[in-house]
Amino acid sequence: MARVLGTLIPLFSLVMLILARGSEAGGISIYWGQNGNEGTLAETCATGNYEYVNIAFLYTFGNGRTPRIDLSGHCDAYSNGCTNISAGIKSCQAKGIKVMLSIGGGAGSYSLASSEDARQVATYLWNNFLGGQSSTRPLGDAVLDGIDFDIEGGTNQHWDDLASDIPATKIFLGLPASPQAAGSGFISVDDLTAKILPVIKGSTKYGGVMLWSKYYDDQTGYSSSIKSNV
């Protein structure tokens, strides 16, 4: 787990690798894809609350594994049924919202065996989700804006090798959007806006706040409460 300024241990990855550089101001990033009751991708972006959406997750990859994506309740990737997500991605991007692929997760099977393995995974990500070419792009022909590393398991080896091929790093503070979203780590709106954001916003790599997840944010309205302060 990464520690931010010695004040808390966030539950989620703090690093997003963004291909297209946007505004230097902070924004809210939301995880989408793990609950069928959270609305569509286009509906998520239509709220106006988010500057980034992380599609979660590519949960199997590396060390000879066949890469697999899971968007629980939204589409069946096993039958190539997630290519229609492309329309939602483009809808978000047309609004100026960057759409990322989140790799890893808490229940995945992933690791990197070597620098060469990291290179192969990077090539797969580029060709199947970013600016490359492949006949088997799981999310259709839309070109995503970058990769979010939500590495919660496996070893810590060779992730720097994987990240080195994708430039423009921003740092986000990862938080649950409600007490029910995680076993610990929830921070009240008052504490976040008064005690934490004023400190971390001083970093030149500050990107904003990353919330788990769209479903829980719908229940609490957390993003709406913090948006003007991020």
Side-chain angles (χ1 to χ4, degrees), residues 4-149:
V4 177
L5 301 175
T7 58
L8 73 158
I9 301 176
L11 302 178
F12 311 111
S13 164
L14 298 183
V15 178
M16 289 205 301
L17 302 176
I18 303 170
L19 298 184
R21 293 182 184 270
S23 168
E24 294 302 316
I28 297 176
S29 174
I30 195 75
Y31 282 94
W32 176 92
Q34 288 297 298
N35 192 304
N37 296 317
E38 64 193 344
T40 67
L41 190 56
E43 290 169 344
T44 296
C45 292
T47 66
N49 286 341
Y50 314 118
E51 283 70 36
Y52 305 90
V53 177
N54 298 335
I55 297 178
F57 292 104
L58 183 78
Y59 71 100
T60 299
F61 60 88
N63 201 16
R65 303 176 183 91
T66 299
R68 297 191 183 280
I69 192 169
D70 172 59
L71 302 180
S72 302
H74 290 285
C75 57
D76 181 8
Y78 289 93
S79 62
N80 202 33
C82 292
T83 56
N84 62 341
I85 299 294
S86 184
I89 295 170
K90 294 176 182 178
S91 174
C92 293
Q93 291 171 331
K95 293 178 172 65
I97 298 168
K98 290 181 171 58
V99 185
M100 324 291 289
L101 175 69
S102 185
I103 66 173
S109 176
Y110 50 87
S111 62
L112 298 173
S114 64
S115 296
E116 174 60 20
D117 189 25
R119 188 193 66 80
Q120 291 177 6
V121 171
T123 299
Y124 171 81
L125 293 172
W126 176 258
N127 287 334
N128 286 274
F129 296 100
L130 301 174
Q133 299 292 323
S134 172
S135 61
T136 58
R137 292 175 70 93
L139 302 180
D141 62 356
V143 177
L144 297 180
D145 296 294
I147 304 296
D148 163 61
F149 285 29

Side-chain angles (χ1 to χ4, degrees), residues 177-194:
S178 78
Q180 294 74 33
S184 62
F186 179 75
I187 298 174
S188 71
V189 170
D190 289 344
D191 283 347
L192 179 67
T193 56

Side-chain angles (χ1 to χ4, degrees), residues 163-187:
S164 65
D165 288 336
I166 309 173
T169 303
K170 286 181 179 255
I171 307 299
F172 284 71
L173 173 65
L175 297 171
S178 78
Q180 294 74 33
S184 62
F186 179 75
I187 298 174

